[in-house]
Amino acid sequence: MSSTDTSLTADAEILLAQPRGFCAGVDRAIEIVERAIQQHGAPIYVRHEIVHNAYVVEDLRKKGAIFIEQLAEVPTGNTVIFSAHGVSKAVRADAAARGLRVYDATCPLVTKVHAEVAKMRDEGLDIVMIGHKGHPEVEGTMGQAGEGMFLVEDIADVEALRLHDPARVAFVTQTTLSVDDAAEIIAALKTRFPAIREPKKQDICYATQNRQDAVKFMAPQCDLVIVVGSPNSSNSNRLREVAEKRGVAAYMVDAPDQIDPAWLVGKRRIGLTAGASAPEALAQQIIARLNELGVRNVRALDGIEENIAFPLPRGLGIPA
Ligand code: SF4
């Protein structure tokens, strides 16, 4: 594009990634909060943001959810919901000791990783977790074992690892990592620890994989990629990075007014995707704003149709 362009091209269009937006774990977590409010009345306490999306959190807050970070903030005898990211064993024990009624919205695919950790520790293996320090899913998964867990964020961390027995080690990963970055770290782990045991099925979840694949397909067709997602959403950030790594300018937005019209100058094809915690209603608001800014056409790209759903916990409208 010429630097003298001052507007969208006349044939500018939005390309919609498929799949995008809510995954089965997020759908389930939101439904758990809504059903708990219906069943027990407001307020219902939720430990941490139920999913990392400001729009979703605000909507549930209006319906009667109170978001807290420490269980001590929940009055005795009340109900608390654990977020989709999962919690450590210590948090679970604390809730039980305080007599709180718990509904667990941990995504079943995170619970699967927790079960792997328990099994590997029972076998006496050290476990290397690939993940982002400080992310609640990482804190929850690292907190499944009292010791023998080692967090690595990059290849430098792999080089610095000091394990009890390099021949008895396994790895797990956060579910929302960049598939490509994780593959590089796993390769480094396998080089350094040839006996390392891997999960039976990769821990990066289907939704993360599918949304990244969809951006890999979409980005080369675009002049610009917009990712709908909140700044603390791991999988949304990874989608932006996937587009950027393909040489396309990419921005993450949480609301229509965050779109800077200057991004669109001289652009013809604007790719749009949404993180697994970002609702389609918000994506539609972003599309409406792009329409206002002059993008007339919207074209849905081909991609995987997801039809995964996870059951709700017992006691929330499901017969026990
Ligand atoms: S992104 Fe994956 S792991 Fe996280 S809630 Fe969705 S399906 Fe579960």
Side-chain angles (χ1 to χ4, degrees), residues 23-26 84 107 109-110 175-176 205-208 276 310:
C23 61
V26 165
C107 177
L109 299 182
V110 175
T175 56
T176 51
C205 75
Y206 81 94
T208 299
F310 297 131

Side-chain angles (χ1 to χ4, degrees), residues 130-131 151-160 181 184-185 188-189:
I130 307 169
L151 178 64
V152 297
E153 295 191 275
D154 52 32
I155 290 174
D157 288 345
V158 173
E159 299 307 322
D181 291 353
E184 286 177 15
I185 298 171
L189 280 169

Side-chain angles (χ1 to χ4, degrees), residues 275-318:
S277 48
E280 182 61 17
L282 186 52
Q284 291 302 323
Q285 290 180 19
I286 303 296
I287 291 170
R289 176 64 184 142
L290 289 168
N291 290 154
E292 278 174 14
L293 291 168
V295 194
R296 295 281 163 255
N297 299 323
V298 180
R299 182 155 58 92
L301 295 174
D302 289 337
I304 289 175
E305 293 288 340
E306 294 173 341
N307 53 10
I308 293 174
F310 297 131
L312 293 171
R314 289 181 176 200
L316 279 180
I318 304 296

